[in-house]
Amino acid sequence: MKKAIVVTLFLIYTLPATAGGFGKFKQRVIDIDSTDFVPSKRWYRPGQNSRSKIKKVVEILSESRTGKKLLSKAARKAVKENKSIEDLFEIGEGSLLDTTLVRRFSPNDPESIQYETRSTIFINKTHSYYNAVLDMAHELTHYTFRKAFNPYIGDFDPGEFVRSTVEGRGGEVEAYLVECKVMYELFPTRASKNSNCGMVKNPETGKLSKKLATEQFYRIGRHNRSYQKALVDYNISSAEFPYLSPGEATFISSAWGLPYPVAALKEYKTIMGKVCQNDQKRLVLMRKNLGRLPASSAASPRQRQYKSFYSSYRNRCTKFM
């Protein structure tokens, strides 16, 4: 039996170290039918039933108007993947959305490729209920709204990847804002302690502002000089990022320990490094399947396909190999 080759590419979206939200917010009182719900209490301990604990955090999030809408939209997407909303979550060392892009092709037919995306949201097992709920809102925003991308197909542009990661639909800014809005709705007494949410609130209207949040997320501090050089190396015009600022960075990627625009470009490089390794393996298989043809023979469709793919590989991967 011929076996298909499976190549995986892991795309991880992490949460900021802080929280945020947008639009008007309304304070609410959580009405969870449980005697053991305390926001500061650890949400999960080893040995407990993980499914029931995840369900409880989902219930708490659903008490927020914003959370309820988010869960509803996420559930509709999960159904398409034959999952319930609880099926999306696992206990983890940290909180993140882990998206795996699976690429399948046969060794005898490497030109024919099938792609599949799988997503799992991990919630930090050491968090309090308060942080677990906010993390869930944050990662669900990524899962529900962020546009899927395939770095193997088309022009996987680094500038567009950074913009999408930071300010795009379902990106870090929006996930932060949703997180903060949930905080205001469910935990209003803690709002005064979260100064970072206040940083993105319009002082005149009292509303949380995506513009102010975007400005904050593009502050890269001491990384400004090296980042400007990196933009040149990747042929990215700094005009693509009008909010980019050398101001002190407040929002730091927990995965990279770097401001989000810097982290996004690092992630792009990591993704492309893996993509190019996988494409190199695919080229070896394609070349092997060509066999030997007389020099006078006309190029076969497979030869033309190989040459086209090889040219594309060289253009895309010179910087990453």
Side-chain angles (χ1 to χ4, degrees):
M1 179 181 293
K2 298 176 182 178
K3 294 185 178 179
I5 293 178
V6 179
V7 180
T8 57
L9 181 65
F10 298 96
L11 313 170
I12 298 177
Y13 307 121
T14 60
L15 75 162
T18 49
F22 60 98
K24 296 181 179 179
F25 56 85
K26 179 181 179 182
Q27 295 184 1
R28 296 189 61 191
V29 177
I30 302 175
D31 183 20
I32 300 296
D33 185 17
S34 174
T35 58
D36 65 347
F37 172 64
V38 178
S40 59
K41 183 178 179 179
R42 186 165 165 174
W43 81 280
Y44 172 81
R45 292 188 182 279
Q48 292 181 319
N49 186 298
S50 60
R51 293 295 93 190
S52 65
K53 301 302 291 186
I54 287 170
K55 184 176 181 180
K56 186 178 183 66
V57 178
V58 170
E59 289 175 355
I60 297 169
L61 178 58
S62 70
E63 286 293 307
S64 156
R65 184 174 62 178
T66 298
K68 186 175 183 178
K69 290 180 179 179
L70 178 60
L71 286 165
S72 178
K73 291 179 180 179
R76 287 197 291 270
K77 181 175 180 178
V79 165
K80 297 177 182 178
E81 301 173 9
N82 297 315
K83 292 181 178 181
S84 69
I85 193 70
E86 287 86 3
D87 290 337
L88 294 173
F89 300 98
E90 296 289 347
I91 307 294
E93 298 296 324
S95 294
L96 55 87
L97 169 62
D98 183 347
T99 299
T100 304
L101 179 63
V102 181
R103 186 174 70 155
R104 289 189 175 90
F105 57 86
S106 166
N108 296 314
D109 188 15
E111 295 87 354
S112 179
I113 301 177
Q114 293 181 327
Y115 297 97
E116 179 184 349
T117 299
R118 303 169 184 168
S119 296
T120 302
I121 297 174
F122 291 93
I123 303 296
N124 191 319
K125 63 184 180 181
T126 66
H127 271 349
S128 64
Y129 276 111
Y130 169 77
N131 285 318
V133 170
L134 297 186
D135 283 7
M136 182 176 283
H138 184 107
E139 301 306 335
L140 274 174
T141 303
H142 287 323
Y143 169 77
T144 306
F145 297 111
R146 188 168 186 191
K147 182 181 178 181
F149 64 89
N150 187 336
Y152 292 103
I153 298 175
D155 183 16
F156 185 47
D157 180 70
E160 176 58 30
F161 179 76
V162 172
R163 285 194 303 276
S164 173
T165 299
V166 178
E167 61 184 291
R169 181 68 165 153
E172 293 301 336
V173 169
E174 288 197 354
Y176 173 81
L177 293 170
V178 168
E179 185 182 344
C180 200
K181 190 173 184 183
V182 168
M183 182 198 68
Y184 278 121
E185 292 174 350
L186 292 183
F187 309 106
T189 59
R190 290 174 175 254
S192 61
K193 300 177 183 178
N194 193 314
S195 60
N196 288 321
C197 283
M199 291 172 63
V200 299
K201 187 186 295 184
N202 187 313
E204 296 181 359
T205 65
K207 296 179 182 180
L208 295 157
S209 165
K210 183 173 181 178
K211 179 178 182 296
L212 291 178
T214 303
E215 290 175 352
Q216 290 293 333
F217 268 79
Y218 274 108
R219 292 165 68 97
I220 60 175
R222 61 185 177 83
H223 300 278
N224 185 60
R225 180 175 295 181
S226 60
Y227 195 67
Q228 294 290 346
K229 182 179 182 301
L231 293 180
V232 173
D233 292 340
Y234 284 97
N235 298 316
I236 305 172
S237 170
S238 58
E240 291 189 39
F241 307 110
Y243 291 110
L244 193 65
S245 164
E248 183 179 359
T250 302
F251 297 97
I252 305 297
S253 163
S254 59
W256 296 91
L258 295 167
Y260 275 96
V262 183
L265 206 53
K266 291 279 188 181
E267 184 177 358
Y268 174 86
K269 182 179 180 180
T270 299
I271 292 172
M272 285 303 300
K274 183 64 175 177
V275 165
C276 291
Q277 287 178 11
N278 292 339
D279 278 351
Q280 187 178 48
K281 295 175 184 177
R282 183 180 167 214
L283 276 167
V284 170
L285 288 173
M286 292 175 70
R287 184 70 185 90
K288 185 177 180 180
N289 288 340
L290 288 177
R292 291 176 175 267
L293 292 175
S296 59
S297 297
S300 68
R302 281 194 171 185
Q303 285 178 314
R304 291 194 295 271
Q305 192 169 22
Y306 172 81
K307 289 181 179 180
S308 175
F309 183 57
Y310 180 74
S311 176
S312 171
Y313 166 80
R314 289 291 300 270
N315 290 334
R316 291 180 297 113
C317 293
T318 301
K319 296 179 181 178
F320 307 103
M321 300 301 292

